[in-house]
Amino acid sequence: MRGSALKIIVRSFSRFSQRLDKYSVRRIGSYGISRLNGHRLCYVTMPGFFSKFMSCVSSPEVHLPSEGLVMKTVDCDWMKLTNQTAHRTNEYETSALVFRRGQSFKVKVAFQRTFNEAGDEVYLEFAIGANAQLVNDTKVRIKMGQVLDPQKWSMVLADSDETSITVEVSIPPNAIVGKYKTVVEFVSKLENGEIKRSRDKEPDVVIIFNPWCKDDSVYLDDEAKREEYVLNDTGNIYRGSTWRISPKRWNFGQFEENILDAALRIIDSDSRTSSKSGKWLQKRRDPIWIVRAASAQVNDGVLVGNWSGDYEGGASPLTWNGSVKILQQYYNTKREVKFGQCWVFSGVMTTILRALGIPTRSVTNFASAHDTEGSMTIDKYINKEGEEVDLGGDSVWNFHVWNESWMTRPDLPKGYEGWQVIDATPQEISLGLYQTGPAPLTAIKKGEVYLGYETPFVFAEVNSDRVTWVVEKDDGNAEITSVGRRYTQNVGKFISTKKVGEDDREDITDQYKFKEGSPEERAAFKLAYGFGSQPDYQRGFLALQDEETADGVDFEFATDPVDANLFNGDEFTVKVTMKNKGSEKRTVNVTSTLHSTLYTGVPKAFVKRAKFDEIVMEPNASVTKEIKVAYNEYSSKLVDQNAMRIMSVATVKETGKMFSEDYEFRLENKPDSVKIVTEKEMQVGKKSNVTVEFTNFLPVKLTHVTISLEGPGLSSPVTHKIAGQVPPGEKVESTFVITPKRAGVSRSIIADVDTRQIQDLKSYEFIRVKAAPEPEAAAAPRTTEAEVKPTAAATEEGKEK
């Protein structure tokens, strides 16, 4: 009897389950239909199993109204804080959702009725570009499936309850980087067979690179380096000369308002990766194309370069304290910002690429060569009178700042992945645009300049030879008569970047070149030189030339005070020492000329000239001459960076040979002239005062004084003007009220003072910012004295107190 009854129940249940399956009903009340190994099962979630089961069996003709099956969305929660915290993007100040590719995120959707997994379908659509299409991956349509595939766009049901479902979505590690329009679509099947669709527009989603994902082409296997090169929003950019290297604090501010949107606009603006072409949009999954596009666009739409010293109609490059003000101005006006020089271009590039998730750092090369001919030599020309002759555009900059980004190089043989040089400073045109990189450090070090992406130009910057040529001019024509001097170890010095996790300089010269003069370094130069242009006049001259003195005579230079104490506003002396290292007596005529120069090495203003004739030097002897320079002789001649250069040209009387030597130095602005006075700990959302003090260290009055302050997560860039003049030795101050936006153990705040007479006066401080306190629970209602009478004990205690 039990067997017969069981058979009847099973048959009835089977018919009922088929009918329910026909209407795609998963759950009715507290019971429903599920599947296990291909068999339908009736499950019960409330007490009274048997009664519910028999009710199920005895009511096989239950129907739901067709309108009850229509799916209507009540709310779509993209769980922004949870998702962006997991993706390490929670600090971006943007209305869009920012996710890193190669990672998943969750979305919770609330409905007007229970979601029917068997009959309802949910889709997510992501579209990038003006003409998004499924065929070229610019449109992605994801249907909910059973497995979350980390290599593909995929979606699974993560959780559900009576009124909502939570889905988990996987972004592939090679997804196109950019801003996507997003749509959630639901499809419901009605009893009459009709299909209903509803499409809801959702917030834009920005997908960026993911250096935490092993399958992303920018993966960086070092958490400390990821913190430094992706998440750190301030840093140091190094400037100066080989004799004095100075850090400049820079506000990268990649998380500040409109910065990510500006970065996306920049890569959208490049015709090769623009949203108008699906073919080129696919290139935006590749960091090689992203960094190359950015290197071209930053100097062709974002910043205008200016090395003239005349900045009318814009701002001096010295006045910028970071990228934020520049990129916000570019974003708001849709116009180029005036003006920038190399460290500004590099700082902006670091901001853009870090905002997009590419590990990037600013790198400074001191004694940086600029080879305009591709000859791998930096050529200078002098005549027999010791005067410099302008026959070409080669130069050696006191310093030059570019960028490195970390990525794989699937377009090259194995071994060229890692750091790649990118340079946005407009120097030399490549394929019609000012663009440089990505050039692999490995190729640069080995002299493998044939690998493209401007690798030859970068090699010349760090490892070319400097050559002085003696020329004769006749009727406007110049003829090379001899090699005056060749230097094989004169460029590419102290290549610097900020240390990981520290506020100090890291020397990375050995990543760019082998030890100077070593067989490996000379072999790298010869390989690169073989692929160079080699102008005709060089043939035959350089084959036997090495770095050597002219007839044993050499120059040495020094300043008094020494470089570390050589300040703008002081008198100083340049010492020119001639050494006779040979075995015979030599008589030398020397002309020394002092100029103020741009940091690019270009002379700007003549300061002073000194001639020393008939200097007799015995073998192994030396003679020193001094050139004194007063403040009033150079004060009106200084230009950006306070750089100066003395060039000495010598003629050896006994042999008629000529040679020259340069010495570049800077007059430092006194470092303690700007001070920041503030509390060392602040709190998110709470106002705090920051006072900037400035003392005039020059022996002249200063006018048009402005004081600026900014810091990522602390304060947007703000400037105060100081009325009147500031006499020598006087101090002025300005107080700023700031309200921190984001917490941090060590947030930087940067102060800058600019005047008509002098600029580039900086200071910075580190400030700890605490998170805002959690909201307090509602306090219990207070009772009045009339409601509660104190006890005798309490009264006596009060009297004692």
Side-chain angles (χ1 to χ4, degrees):
M1 182 175 179
R2 291 181 179 178
S4 300
L6 182 60
K7 289 179 182 179
I8 294 171
I9 291 171
V10 169
R11 284 197 299 267
S12 300
F13 174 71
S14 177
R15 287 194 300 270
F16 173 71
S17 63
Q18 290 172 6
R19 183 169 287 105
L20 286 178
D21 191 56
K22 174 182 177 182
Y23 296 125
S24 304
V25 177
R26 180 174 180 266
R27 184 181 295 124
I28 303 176
S30 57
Y31 54 88
I33 302 299
S34 184
R35 293 180 181 271
L36 179 64
N37 297 327
H39 300 285
R40 295 184 182 89
L41 300 176
C42 184
Y43 62 87
V44 179
T45 59
M46 293 178 62
F49 170 84
F50 187 76
S51 61
K52 291 289 185 183
F53 181 78
M54 292 309 296
S55 174
C56 174
V57 172
S58 62
S59 306
E61 301 301 323
V62 171
H63 292 279
L64 294 181
S66 61
E67 61 270 16
L69 293 177
V70 178
M71 178 62 71
K72 292 183 180 179
T73 310
V74 175
D75 182 49
C76 203
D77 179 8
W78 286 78
M79 305 166 68
K80 184 172 183 177
L81 179 60
T82 300
N83 284 324
Q84 293 198 160
T85 300
H87 283 246
R88 300 172 181 83
T89 58
N90 52 300
E91 290 199 352
Y92 284 95
E93 293 185 23
T94 177
S95 59
L97 297 148
V98 185
F99 298 146
R100 297 189 189 274
R101 64 186 196 175
Q103 205 166 330
S104 65
F105 62 90
K106 292 182 178 180
V107 183
K108 186 174 183 179
V109 185
F111 301 116
Q112 289 180 331
R113 66 165 174 81
T114 301
F115 180 75
N116 174 6
E117 186 178 355
D120 293 324
E121 294 178 348
V122 57
Y123 296 87
L124 276 182
E125 264 188 21
F126 298 92
I128 186 170
N131 300 302
Q133 297 177 359
L134 293 171
V135 69
N136 57 24
D137 291 337
T138 55
K139 177 185 281 188
V140 179
R141 184 173 170 84
I142 318 166
K143 181 180 179 181
M144 192 157 61
Q146 300 299 317
V147 179
L148 198 68
D149 187 342
Q151 300 300 317
K152 299 178 181 179
W153 287 99
S154 55
M155 178 171 59
V156 296
L157 182 66
D159 194 15
S160 65
D161 55 32
E162 293 297 327
T163 59
S164 67
I165 64 169
T166 301
V167 296
E168 185 172 1
V169 182
S170 177
I171 308 172
N174 67 339
I176 296 172
V177 167
K179 182 178 286 188
Y180 290 74
K181 298 294 182 183
T182 308
V183 171
V184 176
E185 180 179 322
F186 299 99
V187 178
S188 299
K189 297 177 182 178
L190 305 187
E191 181 181 358
N192 59 10
E194 184 182 356
I195 294 177
K196 291 285 187 178
R197 297 179 185 273
S198 63
R199 290 172 61 85
D200 295 331
K201 290 183 178 180
E202 296 296 328
D204 291 344
V205 170
V206 176
I207 295 175
I208 61 176
F209 292 96
N210 190 355
W212 284 266
C213 174
K214 291 184 178 181
D215 295 320
D216 196 311
S217 48
V218 301
Y219 174 65
L220 181 57
D221 187 18
D222 188 312
E223 180 60 24
K225 290 182 178 178
R226 291 189 293 244
E227 288 283 339
E228 181 68 52
Y229 301 135
V230 182
L231 300 181
N232 195 356
D233 51 9
T234 60
N236 293 332
I237 297 178
Y238 293 91
R239 303 182 303 174
S241 67
T242 54
W243 292 274
R244 176 183 285 174
I245 297 174
S246 302
K248 175 182 176 64
R249 197 68 180 173
W250 194 262
N251 175 14
F252 297 120
Q254 64 267 31
F255 305 119
E256 299 299 296
E257 185 179 8
N258 295 333
I259 300 303
L260 178 59
D261 290 322
L264 295 172
R265 178 186 292 172
I266 288 165
I267 61 172
D268 280 343
S269 299
D270 191 284
S271 60
R272 296 163 297 182
T273 60
S274 70
S275 57
K276 299 176 183 177
S277 170
K279 174 184 176 182
W280 291 111
L281 265 174
Q282 293 182 67
K283 293 286 187 182
R284 282 170 40 175
R285 54 174 101 240
D286 187 348
I288 296 172
W289 276 92
I290 292 288
V291 299
R292 189 161 179 80
S295 80
Q297 290 305 304
V298 165
N299 63 67
D300 186 23
V302 180
L303 264 173
V304 178
N306 186 341
W307 286 263
S308 69
D310 179 5
Y311 306 118
E312 186 177 354
S316 164
L318 298 172
T319 63
W320 304 116
N321 300 311
S323 311
V324 175
K325 192 173 182 179
I326 295 169
L327 288 173
Q328 287 179 342
Q329 181 177 327
Y330 157 77
Y331 181 78
N332 291 325
T333 65
K334 299 181 180 179
R335 301 179 66 179
E336 292 177 309
V337 178
K338 300 176 181 180
F339 294 101
Q341 292 178 1
C342 71
W343 72 92
V344 184
F345 285 101
S346 174
V348 169
M349 277 289 284
T350 297
T351 299
I352 292 166
L353 298 180
R354 286 186 185 179
L356 296 174
I358 301 175
T360 302
R361 60 190 185 184
S362 289
V363 173
T364 305
N365 178 39
F366 292 94
S368 186
H370 184 170
D371 178 18
T372 60
E373 299 173 311
S375 63
M376 304 303 157
T377 61
I378 305 303
D379 305 306
K380 183 170 68 175
Y381 309 91
I382 59 173
N383 59 26
K384 290 185 177 181
E385 288 73 39
E387 298 172 340
E388 193 167 348
V389 180
D390 184 10
L391 292 181
D394 287 358
S395 61
V396 177
W397 295 20
N398 291 355
F399 68 91
H400 179 49
V401 190
W402 56 66
N403 295 89
E404 289 174 9
S405 290
W406 182 273
M407 66 190 70
T408 59
R409 290 302 299 268
D411 57 321
L412 297 176
K414 185 175 176 59
Y416 296 96
E417 63 279 350
W419 290 115
Q420 316 286 318
V421 172
I422 304 101
D423 195 347
T425 301
Q427 294 183 99
E428 294 295 316
I429 289 179
S430 174
L431 301 177
L433 298 171
Y434 285 110
Q435 56 186 350
T436 298
L441 258 63
T442 303
I444 295 165
K445 185 171 184 175
K446 295 179 179 178
E448 295 170 337
V449 298
Y450 45 80
L451 289 178
Y453 286 135
E454 297 74 50
T455 302
F457 185 78
V458 181
F459 177 88
E461 288 181 297
V462 301
N463 207 15
S464 55
D465 286 358
R466 292 181 71 172
V467 184
T468 300
W469 303 92
V470 180
V471 303
E472 289 185 359
K473 294 189 72 173
D474 183 23
D475 296 330
N477 297 318
E479 179 183 355
I480 306 297
T481 60
S482 65
V483 178
R485 192 73 176 270
R486 181 180 183 182
Y487 305 92
T488 62
Q489 303 179 26
N490 216 241
V491 303
K493 303 290 186 180
F494 307 110
I495 303 176
S496 304
T497 192
K498 178 184 175 296
K499 278 187 178 181
V500 174
E502 298 181 36
D503 196 36
D504 294 319
R505 184 180 72 89
E506 179 183 1
D507 192 303
I508 57 173
T509 308
D510 61 351
Q511 297 182 30
Y512 279 84
K513 57 203 294 190
F514 295 100
K515 184 179 179 181
E516 292 281 21
S518 67
E520 295 88 350
E521 185 270 330
R522 284 291 87 192
F525 174 80
K526 289 177 181 177
L527 177 60
Y529 184 72
F531 283 91
S533 61
Q534 297 184 22
D536 290 340
Y537 64 80
Q538 291 192 4
R539 291 185 174 89
F541 280 120
L542 294 182
L544 301 177
Q545 291 290 328
D546 290 314
E547 185 170 354
E548 59 182 18
T549 59
D551 292 337
V553 178
D554 202 1
F555 277 123
E556 284 188 2
F557 299 90
T559 60
D560 183 20
V562 296
D563 286 337
N565 298 309
L566 189 59
F567 294 114
N568 184 13
D570 296 344
E571 180 180 292
F572 63 91
T573 299
V574 179
K575 296 180 178 181
V576 182
T577 299
M578 288 137 287
K579 290 188 174 183
N580 181 6
K581 297 181 179 180
S583 58
E584 299 181 13
K585 182 175 70 174
R586 291 295 184 225
T587 305
V588 181
N589 293 329
V590 177
T591 300
S592 296
T593 307
L594 181 66
H595 282 85
S596 64
T597 70
L598 299 174
Y599 78 96
T600 58
V602 176
K604 193 63 180 176
F606 169 79
V607 177
K608 200 165 190 175
R609 178 180 288 111
K611 290 188 176 183
F612 309 103
D613 295 331
E614 301 291 322
I615 300 173
V616 178
M617 292 184 292
E618 299 296 330
N620 299 312
S622 64
V623 175
T624 298
K625 299 294 183 180
E626 294 186 349
I627 305 171
K628 293 186 179 294
V629 186
Y631 173 71
N632 60 6
E633 290 182 287
Y634 69 79
S635 61
S636 62
K637 310 291 181 64
L638 289 179
V639 288
D640 300 352
Q641 310 291 320
N642 299 340
M644 305 192 82
R645 182 178 73 187
I646 186 165
M647 184 176 77
S648 293
V649 180
T651 303
V652 180
K653 187 175 182 179
E654 287 80 3
T655 63
K657 281 195 173 183
M658 299 179 61
F659 69 100
S660 69
E661 183 66 276
D662 294 343
Y663 178 68
E664 295 167 339
F665 58 94
R666 291 181 68 207
L667 302 176
E668 195 76 12
N669 294 323
K670 290 188 178 178
D672 294 333
S673 60
V674 180
K675 292 183 178 181
I676 299 174
V677 180
T678 185
E679 47 198 293
K680 295 296 183 180
E681 186 172 273
M682 298 182 182
Q683 182 176 294
V684 171
K686 184 179 179 182
K687 293 181 179 180
S688 295
N689 291 336
V690 178
T691 299
V692 180
E693 299 176 349
F694 167 62
T695 303
N696 179 10
F697 58 88
L698 292 179
V700 296
K701 293 180 180 179
L702 300 179
T703 60
H704 297 81
V705 179
T706 61
I707 300 178
S708 301
L709 192 77
E710 64 180 278
L714 289 171
S715 173
S716 299
V718 58
T719 298
H720 291 174
K721 293 182 179 180
I722 304 298
Q725 300 177 336
V726 182
E730 291 293 314
K731 181 172 73 174
V732 294
E733 63 181 40
S734 186
T735 298
F736 299 79
V737 180
I738 67 171
T739 305
K741 297 177 289 183
R742 298 195 297 274
V745 175
S746 185
R747 292 208 169 272
S748 294
I749 193 159
I750 305 167
D752 169 67
V753 177
D754 295 304
T755 75
R756 175 165 290 179
Q757 293 75 19
I758 188 171
Q759 297 176 330
D760 206 24
L761 306 172
K762 316 284 187 184
S763 183
Y764 65 92
E765 289 287 342
F766 293 108
I767 297 172
R768 179 184 179 88
V769 181
K770 300 186 300 182
E774 294 291 334
E776 296 183 2
R782 292 186 177 182
T783 55
T784 65
E785 293 184 4
E787 294 173 329
V788 178
K789 295 181 179 180
T791 63
T795 305
E796 292 300 317
E797 183 181 355
K799 289 180 180 178
E800 291 178 4
K801 290 181 180 179

